[in-house]
Amino acid sequence: MKTHEDDLKIATQNQAVIDLLYKAFAVGDIPAVLGMMDSNIIWNEAEGNAYADSNPYKGPDAVLNGVFARIGEEHEYFNLKDIELHEMFNDKVLATLRYDAKTKKGKTYNAQVAHFWTLKDGKVVAFQQYVDTKKLHDALIE
């Protein structure tokens, strides 16, 4: 039978995985980020985000090509700032953060964001983004 201590240990381990994922993303180590994903990951960008056009992305290659590559193509820089990880149970991790970015069109934005992660056996199996999509739209589309 799983105890409260077991739940705490798993929650802490899951938080450590997401912390490593953000650190790898920050230095551009996309292969490491993709390696932390389950081969059947289900990834959803926020509704209203231009990158949500192919939701849900299924598998790391879909995330790489449908999200990460597009961010790289359209941005001069794209940084994740003020990341706070919030321990949750049931293999969930909530991250609150900000996107600090500049598009290749010269528009900058600083948007409030939440990422909701689901893990299984130390791998990310699901991702849901919540973000101020108006700020993204104004910077990317207009």
Side-chain angles (χ1 to χ4, degrees), residues 79-117:
N79 297 312
L80 308 179
K81 299 284 189 179
D82 304 326
I83 300 168
E84 287 188 41
L85 300 180
H86 308 274
E87 277 188 15
M88 302 180 77
F89 295 108
N90 301 317
D91 293 317
K92 311 280 191 221
V93 176
L94 175 66
T96 53
L97 59 145
R98 298 195 74 85
Y99 291 160
D100 176 33
K102 182 176 183 180
T103 69
K104 290 190 176 170
K105 296 177 182 177
K107 294 184 179 182
T108 61
Y109 61 93
N110 187 300
Q112 182 181 38
V113 185
H115 291 162
F116 189 58
W117 302 91

mmCIF file of all heavy atoms in Angstrom, residues 79-117:
data_model
loop_
_atom_site.group_PDB
_atom_site.id
_atom_site.type_symbol
_atom_site.label_atom_id
_atom_site.label_comp_id
_atom_site.label_asym_id
_atom_site.label_seq_id
_atom_site.Cartn_x
_atom_site.Cartn_y
_atom_site.Cartn_z
ATOM 1 N N ASN A 79 12.916 33.168 -23.620
ATOM 2 C CA ASN A 79 13.406 32.741 -22.311
ATOM 3 C C ASN A 79 12.263 32.457 -21.348
ATOM 4 O O ASN A 79 11.232 33.128 -21.381
ATOM 5 C CB ASN A 79 14.308 33.822 -21.707
ATOM 6 C CG ASN A 79 15.537 34.053 -22.545
ATOM 7 O OD1 ASN A 79 16.220 33.113 -22.935
ATOM 8 N ND2 ASN A 79 15.827 35.306 -22.845
ATOM 9 N N LEU A 80 12.480 31.482 -20.498
ATOM 10 C CA LEU A 80 11.544 31.159 -19.428
ATOM 11 C C LEU A 80 12.106 31.767 -18.149
ATOM 12 O O LEU A 80 13.231 31.458 -17.761
ATOM 13 C CB LEU A 80 11.399 29.646 -19.288
ATOM 14 C CG LEU A 80 11.070 28.898 -20.581
ATOM 15 C CD1 LEU A 80 10.964 27.403 -20.318
ATOM 16 C CD2 LEU A 80 9.802 29.429 -21.227
ATOM 17 N N LYS A 81 11.337 32.638 -17.525
ATOM 18 C CA LYS A 81 11.812 33.392 -16.357
ATOM 19 C C LYS A 81 10.923 33.134 -15.145
ATOM 20 O O LYS A 81 9.755 32.780 -15.294
ATOM 21 C CB LYS A 81 11.788 34.900 -16.652
ATOM 22 C CG LYS A 81 12.659 35.330 -17.801
ATOM 23 C CD LYS A 81 14.096 35.346 -17.406
ATOM 24 C CE LYS A 81 14.930 35.991 -18.487
ATOM 25 N NZ LYS A 81 16.316 36.055 -18.159
ATOM 26 N N ASP A 82 11.494 33.387 -13.978
ATOM 27 C CA ASP A 82 10.743 33.331 -12.715
ATOM 28 C C ASP A 82 9.986 32.014 -12.546
ATOM 29 O O ASP A 82 8.833 31.992 -12.116
ATOM 30 C CB ASP A 82 9.763 34.516 -12.597
ATOM 31 C CG ASP A 82 10.461 35.859 -12.733
ATOM 32 O OD1 ASP A 82 11.621 35.973 -12.286
ATOM 33 O OD2 ASP A 82 9.851 36.787 -13.304
ATOM 34 N N ILE A 83 10.650 30.920 -12.871
ATOM 35 C CA ILE A 83 10.009 29.605 -12.799
ATOM 36 C C ILE A 83 9.853 29.190 -11.339
ATOM 37 O O ILE A 83 10.812 29.190 -10.577
ATOM 38 C CB ILE A 83 10.839 28.539 -13.547
ATOM 39 C CG1 ILE A 83 10.975 28.919 -15.018
ATOM 40 C CG2 ILE A 83 10.210 27.161 -13.390
ATOM 41 C CD1 ILE A 83 12.008 28.088 -15.771
ATOM 42 N N GLU A 84 8.623 28.874 -10.981
ATOM 43 C CA GLU A 84 8.338 28.322 -9.666
ATOM 44 C C GLU A 84 7.632 26.998 -9.870
ATOM 45 O O GLU A 84 6.626 26.923 -10.590
ATOM 46 C CB GLU A 84 7.443 29.255 -8.853
ATOM 47 C CG GLU A 84 8.149 30.489 -8.357
ATOM 48 C CD GLU A 84 7.286 31.300 -7.405
ATOM 49 O OE1 GLU A 84 6.602 30.692 -6.546
ATOM 50 O OE2 GLU A 84 7.293 32.531 -7.541
ATOM 51 N N LEU A 85 8.160 25.950 -9.242
ATOM 52 C CA LEU A 85 7.553 24.630 -9.332
ATOM 53 C C LEU A 85 6.722 24.375 -8.083
ATOM 54 O O LEU A 85 7.169 24.669 -6.971
ATOM 55 C CB LEU A 85 8.627 23.555 -9.490
ATOM 56 C CG LEU A 85 9.504 23.692 -10.731
ATOM 57 C CD1 LEU A 85 10.528 22.559 -10.781
ATOM 58 C CD2 LEU A 85 8.671 23.713 -12.001
ATOM 59 N N HIS A 86 5.554 23.840 -8.286
ATOM 60 C CA HIS A 86 4.616 23.589 -7.198
ATOM 61 C C HIS A 86 4.357 22.090 -7.122
ATOM 62 O O HIS A 86 3.843 21.502 -8.081
ATOM 63 C CB HIS A 86 3.315 24.350 -7.437
ATOM 64 C CG HIS A 86 3.542 25.806 -7.715
ATOM 65 N ND1 HIS A 86 3.654 26.745 -6.712
ATOM 66 C CD2 HIS A 86 3.713 26.478 -8.876
ATOM 67 C CE1 HIS A 86 3.870 27.941 -7.256
ATOM 68 N NE2 HIS A 86 3.911 27.809 -8.556
ATOM 69 N N GLU A 87 4.743 21.489 -5.993
ATOM 70 C CA GLU A 87 4.556 20.051 -5.823
ATOM 71 C C GLU A 87 3.077 19.711 -5.811
ATOM 72 O O GLU A 87 2.274 20.401 -5.204
ATOM 73 C CB GLU A 87 5.169 19.587 -4.495
ATOM 74 C CG GLU A 87 6.639 19.346 -4.576
ATOM 75 C CD GLU A 87 7.200 18.714 -3.311
ATOM 76 O OE1 GLU A 87 6.429 18.212 -2.477
ATOM 77 O OE2 GLU A 87 8.425 18.740 -3.176
ATOM 78 N N MET A 88 2.768 18.652 -6.511
ATOM 79 C CA MET A 88 1.409 18.139 -6.532
ATOM 80 C C MET A 88 1.496 16.624 -6.434
ATOM 81 O O MET A 88 2.553 16.045 -6.667
ATOM 82 C CB MET A 88 0.704 18.548 -7.829
ATOM 83 C CG MET A 88 0.648 20.042 -8.054
ATOM 84 S SD MET A 88 -0.191 20.477 -9.566
ATOM 85 C CE MET A 88 -1.882 20.252 -9.059
ATOM 86 N N PHE A 89 0.399 16.008 -6.130
ATOM 87 C CA PHE A 89 0.371 14.555 -6.056
ATOM 88 C C PHE A 89 -0.230 13.989 -7.335
ATOM 89 O O PHE A 89 -0.573 14.732 -8.260
ATOM 90 C CB PHE A 89 -0.403 14.112 -4.811
ATOM 91 C CG PHE A 89 0.291 14.529 -3.541
ATOM 92 C CD1 PHE A 89 -0.229 15.537 -2.751
ATOM 93 C CD2 PHE A 89 1.494 13.952 -3.156
ATOM 94 C CE1 PHE A 89 0.422 15.941 -1.594
ATOM 95 C CE2 PHE A 89 2.155 14.353 -2.005
ATOM 96 C CZ PHE A 89 1.609 15.346 -1.224
ATOM 97 N N ASN A 90 -0.348 12.687 -7.413
ATOM 98 C CA ASN A 90 -0.887 11.997 -8.586
ATOM 99 C C ASN A 90 -0.067 12.261 -9.834
ATOM 100 O O ASN A 90 -0.615 12.426 -10.926
ATOM 101 C CB ASN A 90 -2.368 12.360 -8.814
ATOM 102 C CG ASN A 90 -3.234 11.996 -7.631
ATOM 103 O OD1 ASN A 90 -3.072 10.928 -7.061
ATOM 104 N ND2 ASN A 90 -4.120 12.884 -7.245
ATOM 105 N N ASP A 91 1.272 12.330 -9.653
ATOM 106 C CA ASP A 91 2.205 12.480 -10.778
ATOM 107 C C ASP A 91 2.011 13.761 -11.565
ATOM 108 O O ASP A 91 2.211 13.804 -12.779
ATOM 109 C CB ASP A 91 2.124 11.259 -11.705
ATOM 110 C CG ASP A 91 2.645 10.006 -11.033
ATOM 111 O OD1 ASP A 91 3.687 10.089 -10.360
ATOM 112 O OD2 ASP A 91 2.011 8.948 -11.171
ATOM 113 N N LYS A 92 1.634 14.831 -10.890
ATOM 114 C CA LYS A 92 1.440 16.137 -11.527
ATOM 115 C C LYS A 92 2.443 17.138 -10.960
ATOM 116 O O LYS A 92 2.805 17.082 -9.790
ATOM 117 C CB LYS A 92 0.036 16.678 -11.268
ATOM 118 C CG LYS A 92 -1.092 15.707 -11.532
ATOM 119 C CD LYS A 92 -1.423 15.609 -12.981
ATOM 120 C CE LYS A 92 -2.716 14.840 -13.157
ATOM 121 N NZ LYS A 92 -2.678 13.920 -14.253
ATOM 122 N N VAL A 93 2.872 18.065 -11.811
ATOM 123 C CA VAL A 93 3.704 19.187 -11.387
ATOM 124 C C VAL A 93 3.139 20.434 -12.059
ATOM 125 O O VAL A 93 2.874 20.434 -13.264
ATOM 126 C CB VAL A 93 5.188 18.997 -11.788
ATOM 127 C CG1 VAL A 93 6.004 20.234 -11.429
ATOM 128 C CG2 VAL A 93 5.779 17.754 -11.136
ATOM 129 N N LEU A 94 2.963 21.476 -11.277
ATOM 130 C CA LEU A 94 2.519 22.756 -11.809
ATOM 131 C C LEU A 94 3.701 23.714 -11.778
ATOM 132 O O LEU A 94 4.388 23.827 -10.761
ATOM 133 C CB LEU A 94 1.377 23.328 -10.970
ATOM 134 C CG LEU A 94 0.902 24.726 -11.369
ATOM 135 C CD1 LEU A 94 0.261 24.701 -12.752
ATOM 136 C CD2 LEU A 94 -0.065 25.275 -10.337
ATOM 137 N N ALA A 95 3.942 24.375 -12.894
ATOM 138 C CA ALA A 95 4.981 25.402 -12.970
ATOM 139 C C ALA A 95 4.313 26.727 -13.313
ATOM 140 O O ALA A 95 3.495 26.794 -14.233
ATOM 141 C CB ALA A 95 6.013 25.046 -14.028
ATOM 142 N N THR A 96 4.661 27.760 -12.564
ATOM 143 C CA THR A 96 4.238 29.110 -12.923
ATOM 144 C C THR A 96 5.504 29.856 -13.320
ATOM 145 O O THR A 96 6.563 29.682 -12.712
ATOM 146 C CB THR A 96 3.509 29.809 -11.757
ATOM 147 O OG1 THR A 96 4.318 29.766 -10.588
ATOM 148 C CG2 THR A 96 2.169 29.134 -11.480
ATOM 149 N N LEU A 97 5.395 30.657 -14.369
ATOM 150 C CA LEU A 97 6.573 31.307 -14.936
ATOM 151 C C LEU A 97 6.153 32.444 -15.850
ATOM 152 O O LEU A 97 4.973 32.751 -15.968
ATOM 153 C CB LEU A 97 7.413 30.283 -15.711
ATOM 154 C CG LEU A 97 6.710 29.553 -16.870
ATOM 155 C CD1 LEU A 97 7.685 29.304 -17.998
ATOM 156 C CD2 LEU A 97 6.154 28.216 -16.370
ATOM 157 N N ARG A 98 7.140 33.017 -16.511
ATOM 158 C CA ARG A 98 6.884 34.060 -17.509
ATOM 159 C C ARG A 98 7.689 33.748 -18.757
ATOM 160 O O ARG A 98 8.798 33.226 -18.670
ATOM 161 C CB ARG A 98 7.268 35.438 -16.962
ATOM 162 C CG ARG A 98 6.451 35.835 -15.734
ATOM 163 C CD ARG A 98 6.560 37.301 -15.427
ATOM 164 N NE ARG A 98 5.809 38.115 -16.366
ATOM 165 C CZ ARG A 98 4.506 38.400 -16.258
ATOM 166 N NH1 ARG A 98 3.804 37.928 -15.265
ATOM 167 N NH2 ARG A 98 3.922 39.176 -17.146
ATOM 168 N N TYR A 99 7.111 34.072 -19.917
ATOM 169 C CA TYR A 99 7.849 34.033 -21.169
ATOM 170 C C TYR A 99 8.398 35.429 -21.396
ATOM 171 O O TYR A 99 7.645 36.396 -21.425
ATOM 172 C CB TYR A 99 6.946 33.687 -22.357
ATOM 173 C CG TYR A 99 6.402 32.282 -22.400
ATOM 174 C CD1 TYR A 99 5.288 32.001 -23.172
ATOM 175 C CD2 TYR A 99 6.988 31.232 -21.704
ATOM 176 C CE1 TYR A 99 4.772 30.722 -23.252
ATOM 177 C CE2 TYR A 99 6.480 29.947 -21.777
ATOM 178 C CZ TYR A 99 5.368 29.693 -22.554
ATOM 179 O OH TYR A 99 4.852 28.430 -22.625
ATOM 180 N N ASP A 100 9.703 35.538 -21.556
ATOM 181 C CA ASP A 100 10.367 36.795 -21.879
ATOM 182 C C ASP A 100 10.967 36.581 -23.258
ATOM 183 O O ASP A 100 11.933 35.822 -23.400
ATOM 184 C CB ASP A 100 11.441 37.102 -20.838
ATOM 185 C CG ASP A 100 12.223 38.346 -21.170
ATOM 186 O OD1 ASP A 100 11.649 39.280 -21.760
ATOM 187 O OD2 ASP A 100 13.432 38.382 -20.850
ATOM 188 N N ALA A 101 10.375 37.207 -24.271
ATOM 189 C CA ALA A 101 10.747 36.848 -25.628
ATOM 190 C C ALA A 101 10.761 38.050 -26.558
ATOM 191 O O ALA A 101 10.152 39.086 -26.289
ATOM 192 C CB ALA A 101 9.765 35.800 -26.159
ATOM 193 N N LYS A 102 11.471 37.850 -27.676
ATOM 194 C CA LYS A 102 11.491 38.845 -28.746
ATOM 195 C C LYS A 102 11.364 38.105 -30.059
ATOM 196 O O LYS A 102 12.127 37.183 -30.351
ATOM 197 C CB LYS A 102 12.795 39.640 -28.721
ATOM 198 C CG LYS A 102 12.844 40.738 -29.784
ATOM 199 C CD LYS A 102 14.112 41.567 -29.664
ATOM 200 C CE LYS A 102 14.123 42.695 -30.669
ATOM 201 N NZ LYS A 102 15.362 43.485 -30.542
ATOM 202 N N THR A 103 10.385 38.522 -30.858
ATOM 203 C CA THR A 103 10.183 37.884 -32.150
ATOM 204 C C THR A 103 11.173 38.442 -33.166
ATOM 205 O O THR A 103 11.777 39.501 -32.955
ATOM 206 C CB THR A 103 8.747 38.116 -32.680
ATOM 207 O OG1 THR A 103 8.603 39.500 -33.021
ATOM 208 C CG2 THR A 103 7.706 37.707 -31.648
ATOM 209 N N LYS A 104 11.305 37.750 -34.263
ATOM 210 C CA LYS A 104 12.185 38.224 -35.330
ATOM 211 C C LYS A 104 11.602 39.444 -36.032
ATOM 212 O O LYS A 104 12.296 40.116 -36.778
ATOM 213 C CB LYS A 104 12.482 37.087 -36.310
ATOM 214 C CG LYS A 104 13.381 36.039 -35.653
ATOM 215 C CD LYS A 104 13.913 35.028 -36.607
ATOM 216 C CE LYS A 104 14.866 34.092 -35.888
ATOM 217 N NZ LYS A 104 15.242 32.954 -36.691
ATOM 218 N N LYS A 105 10.318 39.755 -35.734
ATOM 219 C CA LYS A 105 9.707 40.985 -36.232
ATOM 220 C C LYS A 105 10.070 42.164 -35.344
ATOM 221 O O LYS A 105 9.666 43.289 -35.596
ATOM 222 C CB LYS A 105 8.179 40.844 -36.265
ATOM 223 C CG LYS A 105 7.661 39.799 -37.219
ATOM 224 C CD LYS A 105 6.143 39.696 -37.101
ATOM 225 C CE LYS A 105 5.586 38.628 -38.002
ATOM 226 N NZ LYS A 105 4.133 38.484 -37.846
ATOM 227 N N GLY A 106 10.816 41.889 -34.249
ATOM 228 C CA GLY A 106 11.253 42.944 -33.349
ATOM 229 C C GLY A 106 10.313 43.225 -32.198
ATOM 230 O O GLY A 106 10.555 44.132 -31.406
ATOM 231 N N LYS A 107 9.233 42.473 -32.073
ATOM 232 C CA LYS A 107 8.278 42.699 -30.989
ATOM 233 C C LYS A 107 8.675 41.880 -29.763
ATOM 234 O O LYS A 107 9.005 40.701 -29.879
ATOM 235 C CB LYS A 107 6.868 42.319 -31.428
ATOM 236 C CG LYS A 107 6.340 43.210 -32.527
ATOM 237 C CD LYS A 107 4.907 42.853 -32.867
ATOM 238 C CE LYS A 107 4.375 43.757 -33.961
ATOM 239 N NZ LYS A 107 2.988 43.458 -34.278
ATOM 240 N N THR A 108 8.636 42.517 -28.613
ATOM 241 C CA THR A 108 8.943 41.819 -27.364
ATOM 242 C C THR A 108 7.645 41.563 -26.607
ATOM 243 O O THR A 108 6.640 42.259 -26.798
ATOM 244 C CB THR A 108 9.887 42.641 -26.474
ATOM 245 O OG1 THR A 108 9.256 43.873 -26.154
ATOM 246 C CG2 THR A 108 11.225 42.879 -27.153
ATOM 247 N N TYR A 109 7.696 40.544 -25.763
ATOM 248 C CA TYR A 109 6.566 40.294 -24.868
ATOM 249 C C TYR A 109 7.048 39.617 -23.600
ATOM 250 O O TYR A 109 8.085 38.969 -23.576
ATOM 251 C CB TYR A 109 5.443 39.507 -25.540
ATOM 252 C CG TYR A 109 5.799 38.122 -26.055
ATOM 253 C CD1 TYR A 109 5.601 36.987 -25.272
ATOM 254 C CD2 TYR A 109 6.291 37.947 -27.353
ATOM 255 C CE1 TYR A 109 5.898 35.725 -25.757
ATOM 256 C CE2 TYR A 109 6.582 36.690 -27.841
ATOM 257 C CZ TYR A 109 6.385 35.575 -27.039
ATOM 258 O OH TYR A 109 6.674 34.321 -27.519
ATOM 259 N N ASN A 110 6.281 39.846 -22.552
ATOM 260 C CA ASN A 110 6.532 39.236 -21.253
ATOM 261 C C ASN A 110 5.168 38.743 -20.784
ATOM 262 O O ASN A 110 4.323 39.552 -20.399
ATOM 263 C CB ASN A 110 7.135 40.260 -20.295
ATOM 264 C CG ASN A 110 7.564 39.627 -18.996
ATOM 265 O OD1 ASN A 110 6.747 39.056 -18.273
ATOM 266 N ND2 ASN A 110 8.841 39.726 -18.696
ATOM 267 N N ALA A 111 4.953 37.434 -20.868
ATOM 268 C CA ALA A 111 3.626 36.876 -20.626
ATOM 269 C C ALA A 111 3.613 35.953 -19.422
ATOM 270 O O ALA A 111 4.544 35.179 -19.196
ATOM 271 C CB ALA A 111 3.163 36.108 -21.867
ATOM 272 N N GLN A 112 2.525 36.037 -18.669
ATOM 273 C CA GLN A 112 2.302 35.149 -17.535
ATOM 274 C C GLN A 112 1.892 33.771 -18.054
ATOM 275 O O GLN A 112 1.057 33.671 -18.961
ATOM 276 C CB GLN A 112 1.200 35.736 -16.661
ATOM 277 C CG GLN A 112 0.901 34.952 -15.418
ATOM 278 C CD GLN A 112 -0.217 35.589 -14.625
ATOM 279 O OE1 GLN A 112 -1.174 36.110 -15.195
ATOM 280 N NE2 GLN A 112 -0.101 35.555 -13.316
ATOM 281 N N VAL A 113 2.477 32.709 -17.464
ATOM 282 C CA VAL A 113 2.285 31.358 -17.980
ATOM 283 C C VAL A 113 2.133 30.356 -16.841
ATOM 284 O O VAL A 113 2.721 30.544 -15.765
ATOM 285 C CB VAL A 113 3.523 30.927 -18.822
ATOM 286 C CG1 VAL A 113 3.309 29.572 -19.469
ATOM 287 C CG2 VAL A 113 3.874 31.973 -19.856
ATOM 288 N N ALA A 114 1.380 29.300 -17.103
ATOM 289 C CA ALA A 114 1.359 28.124 -16.231
ATOM 290 C C ALA A 114 1.513 26.903 -17.123
ATOM 291 O O ALA A 114 0.934 26.832 -18.211
ATOM 292 C CB ALA A 114 0.062 28.042 -15.432
ATOM 293 N N HIS A 115 2.345 25.981 -16.671
ATOM 294 C CA HIS A 115 2.527 24.697 -17.353
ATOM 295 C C HIS A 115 2.072 23.607 -16.391
ATOM 296 O O HIS A 115 2.515 23.561 -15.241
ATOM 297 C CB HIS A 115 3.998 24.460 -17.699
ATOM 298 C CG HIS A 115 4.538 25.346 -18.756
ATOM 299 N ND1 HIS A 115 5.900 25.521 -18.943
ATOM 300 C CD2 HIS A 115 3.933 26.106 -19.705
ATOM 301 C CE1 HIS A 115 6.095 26.345 -19.949
ATOM 302 N NE2 HIS A 115 4.915 26.732 -20.431
ATOM 303 N N PHE A 116 1.224 22.723 -16.867
ATOM 304 C CA PHE A 116 0.712 21.622 -16.058
ATOM 305 C C PHE A 116 1.263 20.328 -16.644
ATOM 306 O O PHE A 116 0.930 19.955 -17.777
ATOM 307 C CB PHE A 116 -0.820 21.641 -16.075
ATOM 308 C CG PHE A 116 -1.465 20.689 -15.126
ATOM 309 C CD1 PHE A 116 -1.200 20.752 -13.765
ATOM 310 C CD2 PHE A 116 -2.356 19.743 -15.586
ATOM 311 C CE1 PHE A 116 -1.820 19.875 -12.880
ATOM 312 C CE2 PHE A 116 -2.966 18.863 -14.714
ATOM 313 C CZ PHE A 116 -2.701 18.926 -13.365
ATOM 314 N N TRP A 117 2.141 19.684 -15.892
ATOM 315 C CA TRP A 117 2.863 18.501 -16.337
ATOM 316 C C TRP A 117 2.302 17.245 -15.682
ATOM 317 O O TRP A 117 1.983 17.260 -14.495
ATOM 318 C CB TRP A 117 4.332 18.596 -15.954
ATOM 319 C CG TRP A 117 5.061 19.783 -16.471
ATOM 320 C CD1 TRP A 117 5.213 21.001 -15.851
ATOM 321 C CD2 TRP A 117 5.767 19.894 -17.705
ATOM 322 N NE1 TRP A 117 5.963 21.843 -16.633
ATOM 323 C CE2 TRP A 117 6.331 21.189 -17.782
ATOM 324 C CE3 TRP A 117 5.999 19.000 -18.762
ATOM 325 C CZ2 TRP A 117 7.098 21.622 -18.852
ATOM 326 C CZ3 TRP A 117 6.759 19.433 -19.827
ATOM 327 C CH2 TRP A 117 7.293 20.728 -19.873
#
